[in-house]
Amino acid sequence: MEAKLKSHFLSLYKMITADDDVDPKELETMYKIGIENFKLTQAEINEAILSPGTVIYVPETMEERLFWLLDLAKLAWADGKLEDSERTLLMVYAERYGIEESYSTKVVDFLLNEAKSGVSNEQMMSDFNKL
């Protein structure tokens, strides 16, 4: 698996552990993202999470940044509740991905609402373009 994708799954795993409670629904959501969006196996995802030396990658395009942030937001909601630590971590990633601090709260709130609604990446982009 390429380093860029390993980085994304390491970030997803960080979201799962952000509230100090690894809920089975969160793991299930992470594997679903990997299998459906990236055509990975569960073993490949496990390897990405456990392999040492993974560098955090910043997606190049705004679309990819939003997709990755939406994946994180989906994990934040996977157990049916949003913890402050999960929201904070999503804010950290939004800013790390180049979303200006003055705009990051609006983007994070938007993505959390989209994730809670269960929208697809395509629908999220359509909704985002209407902001």
Side-chain angles (χ1 to χ4, degrees):
M1 179 185 309
E2 65 181 39
K4 170 179 154 179
L5 198 51
K6 286 172 87 173
S7 171
H8 183 48
F9 278 90
L10 187 57
S11 298
L12 293 175
Y13 190 71
K14 285 180 183 178
M15 180 59 80
I16 289 172
T17 61
D19 62 358
D20 297 325
D21 179 28
V22 178
D23 188 287
K25 292 176 187 173
E26 293 171 326
L27 289 171
E28 181 181 308
T29 300
M30 180 183 66
Y31 289 122
K32 182 178 177 183
I33 288 168
I35 292 165
E36 292 180 4
N37 295 357
F38 300 100
K39 310 298 184 228
L40 299 173
T41 65
Q42 187 171 344
E44 289 171 320
I45 296 166
N46 290 341
E47 181 183 335
I49 293 167
L50 298 173
S51 61
T54 302
V55 175
I56 299 299
Y57 172 82
V58 176
E60 294 174 16
T61 66
M62 181 56 78
E63 181 178 78
E64 188 176 31
R65 291 172 189 186
L66 291 171
F67 288 167
W68 285 23
L69 290 169
L70 181 62
D71 286 346
L72 289 166
K74 287 176 182 178
L75 280 177
W77 277 113
D79 61 359
K81 57 186 183 257
L82 178 66
E83 302 291 338
D84 289 340
S85 57
E86 294 166 327
R87 188 177 192 296
T88 299
L89 185 58
L90 189 56
M91 290 287 293
V92 166
Y93 274 97
E95 291 173 14
R96 183 177 288 166
Y97 288 176
I99 308 294
E100 292 182 31
E101 188 175 348
S102 61
Y103 190 55
S104 61
T105 300
K106 183 176 182 177
V107 171
V108 165
D109 289 344
F110 165 78
L111 290 169
L112 287 167
N113 286 330
E114 294 287 286
K116 188 175 183 180
S117 299
V119 302
S120 66
N121 287 356
E122 294 75 22
Q123 182 61 50
M124 180 274 299
M125 282 307 298
S126 175
D127 294 343
F128 184 79
N129 290 327
K130 295 174 187 172
L131 285 179

